[in-house]
Amino acid sequence: MTDQTIPDGATPAPGAAAPRLPQVRRLARSARPVWETAFRDPVVASHLQLRGLNLIERHAARFGLVTLGMLLVSILFTDVWRHGELLPLGEGDRLAFLPTALLPATLVTLLIAWTLILWGALTASPLMRLAASLTFLLANIWLIAPAAVDIGDHRALDWGPNAVRVGYYLVPGVVALSGAVARLPRIRRWLLPVFRVAVLGGLSMFFLGQLWMHLAFVDEGFPGAVQELVDGAILGTANILNPLVYVAAVLVVDFSLDVTEGVAVAARDASRRLVRWLLVALLVVKVWVEVVRHLDDWTTYLHDRPWAALHTVTMLVVLAVTVRLVARFRMTRAFDTVKERLLYGSAVVLSLILIGHVVASSLGVFAITELHKDEIPGFLNGYPVNGLLTWGQPILGALAVIFGLWLLRTGTEDGRTRLPVARELGSGLVVLGVWLVPEFVLNAAERNPGFSFPLADIVITLAVAALLAVRWRRTETSDALTLTAITVFAWLALSRGDWIALVGGLFGLPAILVVVFGIVYSVAGDSGFTRVSSKRMPQGSRVLIFVGYLVLSVTTLHWVEVTHAENFSGPFSYLGFYYLGIPWAAWLLGRRLIDLDDRIDEIEAEEDAYEAAVAATGPPTSGEPATVPEP
Amino acid sequence: MPRPLRSLLAWLPAVLIVPAAMAASIQLSEPDHAVNPVSELQPFDLGTTWVYDVLDHGKPSGTHTKQVSMKAGVDFARLDGVAVSGAYTDYPGVGESSSIVYLSLDEHAMYQDGLRQNGQYLKLEPAAPAYELPLKTGGTWSYDGTIGSAGLTMDATIQDITDMTVSGRVFHGCLHVVTDLDFTFDGGGGDKETVEEWTCPGYGTVRTSDSIPAQDVEITEELVEFHGDSGDWFAEEPAAVTAEPQPGDTVGFDAGRTRAVPEGALESTLAWTDLRSADIAYPPVSDGDVMVLGEEDGQVSGMDLGNGQMLWRRQVNAPVIAPVAIGAGRALIADTDKNLLALGTDDGSTRWIHHFADVVSASPTVSGSSAVVVTDDGVVTALDLASGRVVWAHDLGVRTRSAPAVTHGLVVVPDIAGSVVALDLEDGSQRWSRSLDGTLTAGPAADDERVFVADEGGVVYALDAADGGVAWQTRTNYDPEGDFAVSADAVTVRVGSERLESFDLHDGDKRWSRGVADTELSPVVVGDELITVSRKAEVSALDLGDGRETRSWSLPLPGAHTSLAADVPLGLVDGNLVIGTAMSAEAQRTGLFAFPVTATAERRGVSFGSEIRVLPKPPMTAPALIGDTLFVPGLDKTLYRSTGSQDVERVATSQGIQPGVAVRGNLMVTQIDGEFRGYPASGGDPLWKFPAQAPALGMVSAIGEDAVFLPEYGAGLAAASLDGAPLWFTPIDGALGATQPLPLPDGDVFYGSGSAARYDGGSGDRLWSVDGAQLFAPAAYSDGVVFADLIYNTRPSGLAAIDAGTGKIRWFHENANSQTLIGPAAAGGVVVYGDSLGLVTAFDAATGTELWRVQLSTPLAGSPVVADGRVYLAEAGRDEDVFQRDYRMSAHDLRTGAFLGAYQAPGTAFAGSPAFAGSDDGRLMLPTTGRLGATMVILEPQS
């Protein structure tokens, strides 16, 4: 943490001796590291940054964030939507049910999402603009099919289809056209507002045109076809949701580590004896809760699925060895940046095959609806999704290992770090790849015996217990804290967010809270990349596209959750935890917890420095945080 | 301004505008339908049911059950009407009686559009107001129009608006309406009738009093039961009922959803088929007597499994969203309005309606006296089967869409988060719960000891039913999907779409894993075989022990260019495994193919190959088919000749009606206005012409071995040689009967117009006649006997078996409901006859003993067709209703009447006159309407 800041609310009295603190303040002081590590630090360091955006972009982003917030809150209370009339969606034995109010709300959020994405694209590089235009065309082709039939005397049903069609082609046309003038700064500057208005107008024609037609159907007492089109569009492109769900799943692991680390740091002042016995108590409780209470189940498991148990233990050992080999180096300044990019990058790459399927399907629909083909062209219909999942994924995993090793080599020279980013990224990729390759290969060979999250937790716990027993006399406070943190982290992380759901359940919130939490955490604590600019994507562009993507994805998630369509979030959360969460946890463990004793030293040094700074300059008086020199 | 405040204010536009935009869009989308006070007064919702006690002069006379049974539209301007079915168990002076009333609504009034009674539709012209706004004391409305051929005037007055006590309950704000009616019949006369009724908001009519003083009619009806949007109300607490489990009474075959028939062996010969024109998503269920099927358009039907009689059809708000469950005489139907309706399996009337907070998209489970229902919001509710009242409810807290499995007093329900919860069937308390590693992907199924589930990690669990402990677990290398098939030794599950894996029931050891043809259906166990059906409708039987395929067969295709897609879970109906498929055939959407799994279920079922002939116009009268050539007299008075799907040519156009055609060999004879014409069947100009009287419906010429017999309307009967040369003409007094000459094997002819008589084929001399009898329908001949529906002026009419040689009547069955234009069919020692009320009866041809009977919903659409030991019956349906679904052809065993197959066409395509017919080679012609417009479906029965 290089830009460590401490908010004034947490300021100790300057230069004061350490009088005996009241009980509450002592408790607050002890809990402060949890707050700082799990919430404050990530948010301060990596929250979505609107500063630096121009007025229009800032307001647009705020519109998006408010929409996002409303959708996320709404996801937690989907039953409210279903109190009214429900319209059946789809056919066959897997119907979904659409609350009548959801369709207009969704069309509005889609309008906001695409406005953000395409406005963001308008200030990005020409290539990005082209990509955004194509994405819009493909993602929305499902909505272009005529939804109007000749009923009643409605202007909406006469004009609506044409308005929708004009909007559909106007929007990408404007964005693509803007790319053509990207190299003409003078024209570009005054044309940008025009382009924005044109894009907004086109999107309004497209989405609100659908709404207009829907209203006409409602007025005539017919269910109409708009909701089926929107449902088809959302389910047809639902795989764009995957990266977000993967990220949300992994961020729960990340958050678990933050909480764990905070707890450990909070206990740094405790005596060695106390920490050791607390660890023993924790181990006993955990073993009792997780093992003894379910002894019959474990016996059955080990008897019935020895290969799964062996696989679980083996993969843990492989991960541990890999982490020991490639991730055991002092944390660099690049860690947070790399962590963030690795997180988003791996989630996107792992989703690419399914996103490719969306593209192929959309092209197929385009061929039928716009090119008037009788059937989907063979090369699109035959998109080898299963083959790619079977064989493409192991190859991706292997490439991650190879590239990671190359980066590690590039980033290290004579045992010294030369390029921190390369080394951090390399270690992450190797850990990820080493986990994924055998898993994917076993899947491809149809020989995967399965992995047990609870068993992995137990194995880690028993390993900690064994280590503690062997090194009881040599275990210092910091060692005991590290082992405590590992034990707690394994418990939290390998429960795959159940603890968050459990806490939420106390307040009557549904299990989807875990995904919602992950999404919120990504905005609040893992959006550092929106603070910087590049030639291809200035900061304003990044923020709008990122927020637009979030709104789009959460609109999809919201639709699926409210209509009770296929359970997308559950299986993808599971896959996210399995494929990314576990190696991610191992890597984080290696990069952060193993250095926990150093971190504790670091925090104590920060506190000393803070107190020294305050003593020298007086307490901060404004809302500005006091900058603390890097220790 | 302080910075924090400034920062907050910067968010203000977004915080205000985004919610406002959403709220505005939602508000705009709310339908702005003004509710007509009439619909609040008289419920219009599908399924609403009233039961009245009927009193005749104050004495009990059975009950009257009335139900909003389906959507209907007798007028294209008012397609949102309803049909209200009514049934009296003992209508005073009549006995059992039923009717359908068509009602519609506009912003001013509720109208009665027509009435179907005694097999006839009586249209009200114009529609008569049943209630008219404003609904206030002193309000009046009048009517002057016709019903059928009778005149009707009516004056209604709202006497007062008052509270009304009926069956011990006070109904508030009831409209007291007195209506005076006056009918004028064709022959003049008609008595005045006064109807007094009390109609109460939300409950409709609660009491009526109907009097016709001139006929001493005084009938009173009082509401004793109501089921509708206002809830369920019983004047007397309904008697408790208990369901006796029947194999196939729910999806998954039983309450444990084992999908297993332990005893039996699947036969590859069809027991019966049922081809329908609407999509289905769920298999039929049965209590052993009645098969209930819910279709995607909201239609629910109950079919008698013995003779295929369609006992009832009802409609719920479409689509039916969960598999139907059946028990204790009730079929449980879930609709999109979050209702669960319990329909009586005997008559389809609603026994109760329960409204839930969310939809019921998983099949309910019937057990004992309860129905256990899982709603999408994750609430498990047990309802009393008799009354529909809540016995207990348990909120899982997580949404679920899985049907519960019931075993040993436990209700096992999974949720989407991967938990399996067992509830006590008695009180809903939680007995145990078990969290899986991921979302449930297969199950639950339960046998006596264990519950089987699989999660998205590919792990199959056997949980102890007693405490939820893991008895065993094993992992598949693929993703388990769908449902388990649980036999005595093994549990089998589909993994992916092309593999089955079987595990030892006791320890979970894998017994075998094998690839199968692409399928989306879960397998079932029959005896010691595992049955799987591929997406392309190929049935495979695998050895349950080792997974080896022992045999396979394909379902019969309706045509060369059509296909089947097996996508409906397998069902078990009265000892038959039922395979449901989507069909790509024109005018056909769904096929149910039943194969016997027990010896008692074996029948000689029939399926139908189908060929479509597109017609320029629907037929006016019955078509004729010879080889590939189809002749259809069109409604536009043009005779068409069709030789292929789209190959149609005009043969001739007449000024008057086209009575029909006769074909034999390469000769086709028809009447075009004032002449009979003989055409080559292969096409071309007329071979000959013969003078004719004016054409009349039903008077169709007939071609014998050596002669053509030509009915001369009002004059007599003529004969010509096959090349058109006149042979003879025999004048007949009053030859007005709508019948066709019946050539007899020895060259003579039986003809019933004017007088039922036999005529010499060479001279036209009358050989014998039946005194005082004539025919208005064709006759049939078999084994020396003529079977004819004799109409007498002076004595009761009826079906007679007449010795063809002597003219003596061998046996006679009186029948007061003779049907014009439709006569009996005979072969194989059986004669089959249908009356104008839709009652079809089969008699032993030799003795006249009744063999079997089927009551159709509507009269026949053509004479029965007998071929190959089967009889085919087509019922006309309700062509007054543009949504009608009763047009259906069924096949029955000729000797026993056992149901063998049915074909339901999407819609009628004829106008009153019978148009269903058979060809000499056993094919059937059924006119219909489909995507291509008017079409003729040529059906070829296939065993």
Side-chain angles (χ1 to χ4, degrees), chain A residues 82 84 95 297 304 446 448-449 496 564 571, chain B residues 338 358 401 434 437 456 472-473 475 477-478:
Chain A
R82 296 173 69 91
L95 292 170
D297 291 348
D304 290 350
E446 298 172 352
N448 197 329
R496 293 177 291 146
H564 292 190
Chain B
K338 306 176 188 174
D358 208 329
R401 296 187 72 174
R434 158 75 51 183
D437 273 356
E456 64 191 326
W472 53 258
Q473 59 177 291
R475 188 174 190 277
N477 288 321
Y478 312 84

PDB file of all heavy atoms in Angstrom, chain A residues 82 84 95 297 304 446 448-449 496 564 571, chain B residues 338 358 401 434 437 456 472-473 475 477-478:
ATOM      1  N   ARG A  82     -42.824  -9.760  -8.194  1.00  0.00           N
ATOM      2  CA  ARG A  82     -43.713 -10.844  -8.607  1.00  0.00           C
ATOM      3  C   ARG A  82     -45.073 -10.806  -7.909  1.00  0.00           C
ATOM      4  O   ARG A  82     -45.865 -11.729  -8.063  1.00  0.00           O
ATOM      5  CB  ARG A  82     -43.035 -12.198  -8.378  1.00  0.00           C
ATOM      6  CG  ARG A  82     -41.803 -12.367  -9.252  1.00  0.00           C
ATOM      7  CD  ARG A  82     -41.038 -13.623  -8.900  1.00  0.00           C
ATOM      8  NE  ARG A  82     -41.762 -14.823  -9.249  1.00  0.00           N
ATOM      9  CZ  ARG A  82     -41.664 -15.467 -10.402  1.00  0.00           C
ATOM     10  NH1 ARG A  82     -40.877 -14.999 -11.345  1.00  0.00           N
ATOM     11  NH2 ARG A  82     -42.351 -16.573 -10.615  1.00  0.00           N
ATOM     12  N   GLY A  84     -47.437  -8.758  -8.555  1.00  0.00           N
ATOM     13  CA  GLY A  84     -48.496  -8.413  -9.501  1.00  0.00           C
ATOM     14  C   GLY A  84     -48.710  -9.484 -10.545  1.00  0.00           C
ATOM     15  O   GLY A  84     -48.402 -10.662 -10.350  1.00  0.00           O
ATOM     16  N   LEU A  95     -40.792 -22.634 -18.262  1.00  0.00           N
ATOM     17  CA  LEU A  95     -41.285 -21.280 -18.468  1.00  0.00           C
ATOM     18  C   LEU A  95     -40.656 -20.342 -17.453  1.00  0.00           C
ATOM     19  O   LEU A  95     -40.269 -20.748 -16.361  1.00  0.00           O
ATOM     20  CB  LEU A  95     -42.792 -21.259 -18.278  1.00  0.00           C
ATOM     21  CG  LEU A  95     -43.643 -21.985 -19.318  1.00  0.00           C
ATOM     22  CD1 LEU A  95     -45.071 -22.053 -18.836  1.00  0.00           C
ATOM     23  CD2 LEU A  95     -43.560 -21.280 -20.647  1.00  0.00           C
ATOM     24  N   ASP A 297     -20.689 -38.413   7.476  1.00  0.00           N
ATOM     25  CA  ASP A 297     -20.605 -37.946   6.093  1.00  0.00           C
ATOM     26  C   ASP A 297     -19.172 -38.047   5.572  1.00  0.00           C
ATOM     27  O   ASP A 297     -18.939 -38.447   4.418  1.00  0.00           O
ATOM     28  CB  ASP A 297     -21.079 -36.484   5.995  1.00  0.00           C
ATOM     29  CG  ASP A 297     -22.570 -36.358   6.251  1.00  0.00           C
ATOM     30  OD1 ASP A 297     -23.244 -37.406   6.268  1.00  0.00           O
ATOM     31  OD2 ASP A 297     -23.043 -35.235   6.447  1.00  0.00           O
ATOM     32  N   ASP A 304     -16.515 -43.602  -0.319  1.00  0.00           N
ATOM     33  CA  ASP A 304     -17.132 -43.642  -1.645  1.00  0.00           C
ATOM     34  C   ASP A 304     -16.318 -42.910  -2.698  1.00  0.00           C
ATOM     35  O   ASP A 304     -16.405 -43.236  -3.881  1.00  0.00           O
ATOM     36  CB  ASP A 304     -18.539 -43.023  -1.595  1.00  0.00           C
ATOM     37  CG  ASP A 304     -19.527 -43.890  -0.831  1.00  0.00           C
ATOM     38  OD1 ASP A 304     -19.164 -45.039  -0.521  1.00  0.00           O
ATOM     39  OD2 ASP A 304     -20.641 -43.415  -0.553  1.00  0.00           O
ATOM     40  N   GLU A 446     -12.688 -36.738 -19.358  1.00  0.00           N
ATOM     41  CA  GLU A 446     -13.859 -37.251 -18.642  1.00  0.00           C
ATOM     42  C   GLU A 446     -13.438 -38.104 -17.460  1.00  0.00           C
ATOM     43  O   GLU A 446     -14.001 -39.165 -17.193  1.00  0.00           O
ATOM     44  CB  GLU A 446     -14.760 -38.041 -19.598  1.00  0.00           C
ATOM     45  CG  GLU A 446     -15.302 -37.177 -20.731  1.00  0.00           C
ATOM     46  CD  GLU A 446     -16.035 -37.967 -21.796  1.00  0.00           C
ATOM     47  OE1 GLU A 446     -15.987 -39.194 -21.729  1.00  0.00           O
ATOM     48  OE2 GLU A 446     -16.645 -37.340 -22.678  1.00  0.00           O
ATOM     49  N   ASN A 448     -12.441 -36.447 -14.350  1.00  0.00           N
ATOM     50  CA  ASN A 448     -12.274 -35.598 -13.181  1.00  0.00           C
ATOM     51  C   ASN A 448     -13.030 -36.195 -12.005  1.00  0.00           C
ATOM     52  O   ASN A 448     -14.248 -36.301 -12.040  1.00  0.00           O
ATOM     53  CB  ASN A 448     -12.812 -34.191 -13.481  1.00  0.00           C
ATOM     54  CG  ASN A 448     -12.305 -33.178 -12.471  1.00  0.00           C
ATOM     55  OD1 ASN A 448     -12.068 -33.520 -11.315  1.00  0.00           O
ATOM     56  ND2 ASN A 448     -12.123 -31.941 -12.906  1.00  0.00           N
ATOM     57  N   PRO A 449     -12.323 -36.604 -10.954  1.00  0.00           N
ATOM     58  CA  PRO A 449     -13.020 -37.250  -9.834  1.00  0.00           C
ATOM     59  C   PRO A 449     -13.740 -36.253  -8.938  1.00  0.00           C
ATOM     60  O   PRO A 449     -14.479 -36.653  -8.050  1.00  0.00           O
ATOM     61  CB  PRO A 449     -11.890 -37.939  -9.073  1.00  0.00           C
ATOM     62  CG  PRO A 449     -10.682 -37.137  -9.375  1.00  0.00           C
ATOM     63  CD  PRO A 449     -10.861 -36.551 -10.739  1.00  0.00           C
ATOM     64  N   ARG A 496     -17.211 -20.462  -0.083  1.00  0.00           N
ATOM     65  CA  ARG A 496     -17.709 -19.818  -1.297  1.00  0.00           C
ATOM     66  C   ARG A 496     -18.766 -18.744  -1.011  1.00  0.00           C
ATOM     67  O   ARG A 496     -19.783 -18.657  -1.680  1.00  0.00           O
ATOM     68  CB  ARG A 496     -18.280 -20.871  -2.264  1.00  0.00           C
ATOM     69  CG  ARG A 496     -17.225 -21.791  -2.802  1.00  0.00           C
ATOM     70  CD  ARG A 496     -17.837 -22.838  -3.671  1.00  0.00           C
ATOM     71  NE  ARG A 496     -18.619 -23.769  -2.894  1.00  0.00           N
ATOM     72  CZ  ARG A 496     -19.719 -24.356  -3.304  1.00  0.00           C
ATOM     73  NH1 ARG A 496     -20.197 -24.081  -4.505  1.00  0.00           N
ATOM     74  NH2 ARG A 496     -20.358 -25.191  -2.546  1.00  0.00           N
ATOM     75  N   HIS A 564     -37.244 -15.621 -12.851  1.00  0.00           N
ATOM     76  CA  HIS A 564     -36.945 -17.017 -12.500  1.00  0.00           C
ATOM     77  C   HIS A 564     -36.623 -17.820 -13.755  1.00  0.00           C
ATOM     78  O   HIS A 564     -37.057 -18.972 -13.886  1.00  0.00           O
ATOM     79  CB  HIS A 564     -38.099 -17.674 -11.739  1.00  0.00           C
ATOM     80  CG  HIS A 564     -38.307 -17.111 -10.381  1.00  0.00           C
ATOM     81  ND1 HIS A 564     -39.143 -17.677  -9.460  1.00  0.00           N
ATOM     82  CD2 HIS A 564     -37.792 -16.026  -9.763  1.00  0.00           C
ATOM     83  CE1 HIS A 564     -39.145 -16.964  -8.349  1.00  0.00           C
ATOM     84  NE2 HIS A 564     -38.328 -15.940  -8.520  1.00  0.00           N
ATOM     85  N   PRO A 571     -24.769 -21.638 -11.131  1.00  0.00           N
ATOM     86  CA  PRO A 571     -23.723 -22.445 -11.755  1.00  0.00           C
ATOM     87  C   PRO A 571     -22.460 -21.640 -12.084  1.00  0.00           C
ATOM     88  O   PRO A 571     -21.346 -22.130 -11.893  1.00  0.00           O
ATOM     89  CB  PRO A 571     -24.388 -22.940 -13.047  1.00  0.00           C
ATOM     90  CG  PRO A 571     -25.834 -22.933 -12.739  1.00  0.00           C
ATOM     91  CD  PRO A 571     -26.052 -21.779 -11.820  1.00  0.00           C
TER      92      PRO A 571
ATOM     93  N   LYS B 338     -51.356 -17.642 -11.011  1.00  0.00           N
ATOM     94  CA  LYS B 338     -50.901 -18.092  -9.687  1.00  0.00           C
ATOM     95  C   LYS B 338     -51.975 -18.924  -8.991  1.00  0.00           C
ATOM     96  O   LYS B 338     -52.005 -18.992  -7.766  1.00  0.00           O
ATOM     97  CB  LYS B 338     -50.511 -16.906  -8.796  1.00  0.00           C
ATOM     98  CG  LYS B 338     -49.496 -15.968  -9.423  1.00  0.00           C
ATOM     99  CD  LYS B 338     -49.257 -14.782  -8.525  1.00  0.00           C
ATOM    100  CE  LYS B 338     -48.409 -13.748  -9.208  1.00  0.00           C
ATOM    101  NZ  LYS B 338     -48.269 -12.523  -8.437  1.00  0.00           N
ATOM    102  N   ASP B 358     -47.226 -16.748  -5.602  1.00  0.00           N
ATOM    103  CA  ASP B 358     -46.388 -16.879  -6.795  1.00  0.00           C
ATOM    104  C   ASP B 358     -46.898 -18.083  -7.589  1.00  0.00           C
ATOM    105  O   ASP B 358     -47.767 -18.817  -7.116  1.00  0.00           O
ATOM    106  CB  ASP B 358     -44.914 -17.064  -6.405  1.00  0.00           C
ATOM    107  CG  ASP B 358     -43.968 -16.546  -7.477  1.00  0.00           C
ATOM    108  OD1 ASP B 358     -44.336 -16.596  -8.672  1.00  0.00           O
ATOM    109  OD2 ASP B 358     -42.859 -16.087  -7.146  1.00  0.00           O
ATOM    110  N   ARG B 401     -38.008 -24.634  -8.038  1.00  0.00           N
ATOM    111  CA  ARG B 401     -38.945 -25.006  -9.100  1.00  0.00           C
ATOM    112  C   ARG B 401     -38.993 -26.504  -9.275  1.00  0.00           C
ATOM    113  O   ARG B 401     -39.361 -26.991 -10.323  1.00  0.00           O
ATOM    114  CB  ARG B 401     -38.542 -24.332 -10.413  1.00  0.00           C
ATOM    115  CG  ARG B 401     -38.628 -22.833 -10.354  1.00  0.00           C
ATOM    116  CD  ARG B 401     -38.386 -22.199 -11.677  1.00  0.00           C
ATOM    117  NE  ARG B 401     -39.489 -22.409 -12.588  1.00  0.00           N
ATOM    118  CZ  ARG B 401     -39.559 -21.846 -13.793  1.00  0.00           C
ATOM    119  NH1 ARG B 401     -38.598 -21.056 -14.191  1.00  0.00           N
ATOM    120  NH2 ARG B 401     -40.575 -22.066 -14.575  1.00  0.00           N
ATOM    121  N   ARG B 434     -30.196 -30.783   4.055  1.00  0.00           N
ATOM    122  CA  ARG B 434     -28.843 -31.163   3.638  1.00  0.00           C
ATOM    123  C   ARG B 434     -28.401 -30.200   2.548  1.00  0.00           C
ATOM    124  O   ARG B 434     -29.141 -29.945   1.595  1.00  0.00           O
ATOM    125  CB  ARG B 434     -28.891 -32.604   3.123  1.00  0.00           C
ATOM    126  CG  ARG B 434     -27.820 -33.054   2.203  1.00  0.00           C
ATOM    127  CD  ARG B 434     -26.513 -33.309   2.880  1.00  0.00           C
ATOM    128  NE  ARG B 434     -26.602 -34.185   4.042  1.00  0.00           N
ATOM    129  CZ  ARG B 434     -25.566 -34.489   4.809  1.00  0.00           C
ATOM    130  NH1 ARG B 434     -24.374 -34.012   4.540  1.00  0.00           N
ATOM    131  NH2 ARG B 434     -25.716 -35.267   5.845  1.00  0.00           N
ATOM    132  N   ASP B 437     -23.074 -29.443  -2.670  1.00  0.00           N
ATOM    133  CA  ASP B 437     -21.972 -28.560  -3.048  1.00  0.00           C
ATOM    134  C   ASP B 437     -22.423 -27.479  -4.023  1.00  0.00           C
ATOM    135  O   ASP B 437     -21.768 -26.460  -4.175  1.00  0.00           O
ATOM    136  CB  ASP B 437     -20.828 -29.374  -3.681  1.00  0.00           C
ATOM    137  CG  ASP B 437     -19.897 -29.896  -2.606  1.00  0.00           C
ATOM    138  OD1 ASP B 437     -20.127 -29.538  -1.429  1.00  0.00           O
ATOM    139  OD2 ASP B 437     -18.974 -30.652  -2.921  1.00  0.00           O
ATOM    140  N   GLU B 456     -24.600 -29.744  -9.267  1.00  0.00           N
ATOM    141  CA  GLU B 456     -23.911 -29.296 -10.477  1.00  0.00           C
ATOM    142  C   GLU B 456     -22.439 -29.703 -10.497  1.00  0.00           C
ATOM    143  O   GLU B 456     -21.788 -29.581 -11.528  1.00  0.00           O
ATOM    144  CB  GLU B 456     -24.026 -27.787 -10.608  1.00  0.00           C
ATOM    145  CG  GLU B 456     -23.343 -27.034  -9.487  1.00  0.00           C
ATOM    146  CD  GLU B 456     -23.692 -25.566  -9.491  1.00  0.00           C
ATOM    147  OE1 GLU B 456     -23.869 -25.018 -10.572  1.00  0.00           O
ATOM    148  OE2 GLU B 456     -23.785 -24.980  -8.402  1.00  0.00           O
ATOM    149  N   TRP B 472     -24.667 -42.798   0.512  1.00  0.00           N
ATOM    150  CA  TRP B 472     -23.516 -42.927  -0.373  1.00  0.00           C
ATOM    151  C   TRP B 472     -23.493 -41.748  -1.337  1.00  0.00           C
ATOM    152  O   TRP B 472     -24.480 -41.041  -1.490  1.00  0.00           O
ATOM    153  CB  TRP B 472     -23.486 -44.255  -1.133  1.00  0.00           C
ATOM    154  CG  TRP B 472     -24.701 -44.653  -1.913  1.00  0.00           C
ATOM    155  CD1 TRP B 472     -25.645 -45.553  -1.544  1.00  0.00           C
ATOM    156  CD2 TRP B 472     -25.114 -44.185  -3.219  1.00  0.00           C
ATOM    157  NE1 TRP B 472     -26.618 -45.677  -2.502  1.00  0.00           N
ATOM    158  CE2 TRP B 472     -26.312 -44.853  -3.554  1.00  0.00           C
ATOM    159  CE3 TRP B 472     -24.588 -43.271  -4.129  1.00  0.00           C
ATOM    160  CZ2 TRP B 472     -26.996 -44.638  -4.749  1.00  0.00           C
ATOM    161  CZ3 TRP B 472     -25.256 -43.054  -5.334  1.00  0.00           C
ATOM    162  CH2 TRP B 472     -26.448 -43.738  -5.631  1.00  0.00           C
ATOM    163  N   GLN B 473     -22.349 -41.549  -1.909  1.00  0.00           N
ATOM    164  CA  GLN B 473     -22.227 -40.512  -2.929  1.00  0.00           C
ATOM    165  C   GLN B 473     -21.246 -40.985  -3.976  1.00  0.00           C
ATOM    166  O   GLN B 473     -20.345 -41.770  -3.696  1.00  0.00           O
ATOM    167  CB  GLN B 473     -21.764 -39.189  -2.327  1.00  0.00           C
ATOM    168  CG  GLN B 473     -20.442 -39.242  -1.608  1.00  0.00           C
ATOM    169  CD  GLN B 473     -20.039 -37.856  -1.110  1.00  0.00           C
ATOM    170  OE1 GLN B 473     -19.735 -36.990  -1.897  1.00  0.00           O
ATOM    171  NE2 GLN B 473     -20.043 -37.673   0.200  1.00  0.00           N
ATOM    172  N   ARG B 475     -19.517 -39.740  -8.038  1.00  0.00           N
ATOM    173  CA  ARG B 475     -19.451 -38.648  -9.002  1.00  0.00           C
ATOM    174  C   ARG B 475     -19.506 -39.185 -10.417  1.00  0.00           C
ATOM    175  O   ARG B 475     -18.857 -40.176 -10.745  1.00  0.00           O
ATOM    176  CB  ARG B 475     -18.161 -37.840  -8.822  1.00  0.00           C
ATOM    177  CG  ARG B 475     -18.144 -36.570  -9.671  1.00  0.00           C
ATOM    178  CD  ARG B 475     -16.945 -35.729  -9.356  1.00  0.00           C
ATOM    179  NE  ARG B 475     -17.038 -34.416  -9.987  1.00  0.00           N
ATOM    180  CZ  ARG B 475     -16.708 -34.163 -11.234  1.00  0.00           C
ATOM    181  NH1 ARG B 475     -16.263 -35.143 -12.004  1.00  0.00           N
ATOM    182  NH2 ARG B 475     -16.820 -32.953 -11.738  1.00  0.00           N
ATOM    183  N   ASN B 477     -18.863 -38.420 -14.487  1.00  0.00           N
ATOM    184  CA  ASN B 477     -17.897 -37.613 -15.228  1.00  0.00           C
ATOM    185  C   ASN B 477     -18.578 -36.557 -16.080  1.00  0.00           C
ATOM    186  O   ASN B 477     -17.936 -35.856 -16.834  1.00  0.00           O
ATOM    187  CB  ASN B 477     -17.026 -38.506 -16.110  1.00  0.00           C
ATOM    188  CG  ASN B 477     -16.057 -39.303 -15.265  1.00  0.00           C
ATOM    189  OD1 ASN B 477     -15.520 -38.781 -14.290  1.00  0.00           O
ATOM    190  ND2 ASN B 477     -15.874 -40.568 -15.598  1.00  0.00           N
ATOM    191  N   TYR B 478     -19.872 -36.507 -15.980  1.00  0.00           N
ATOM    192  CA  TYR B 478     -20.638 -35.544 -16.765  1.00  0.00           C
ATOM    193  C   TYR B 478     -21.629 -34.884 -15.822  1.00  0.00           C
ATOM    194  O   TYR B 478     -21.665 -35.199 -14.641  1.00  0.00           O
ATOM    195  CB  TYR B 478     -21.376 -36.250 -17.908  1.00  0.00           C
ATOM    196  CG  TYR B 478     -20.504 -37.187 -18.702  1.00  0.00           C
ATOM    197  CD1 TYR B 478     -20.288 -38.483 -18.270  1.00  0.00           C
ATOM    198  CD2 TYR B 478     -19.888 -36.751 -19.860  1.00  0.00           C
ATOM    199  CE1 TYR B 478     -19.484 -39.325 -18.991  1.00  0.00           C
ATOM    200  CE2 TYR B 478     -19.079 -37.601 -20.588  1.00  0.00           C
ATOM    201  CZ  TYR B 478     -18.885 -38.900 -20.149  1.00  0.00           C
ATOM    202  OH  TYR B 478     -18.081 -39.739 -20.855  1.00  0.00           O
TER     203      TYR B 478
END
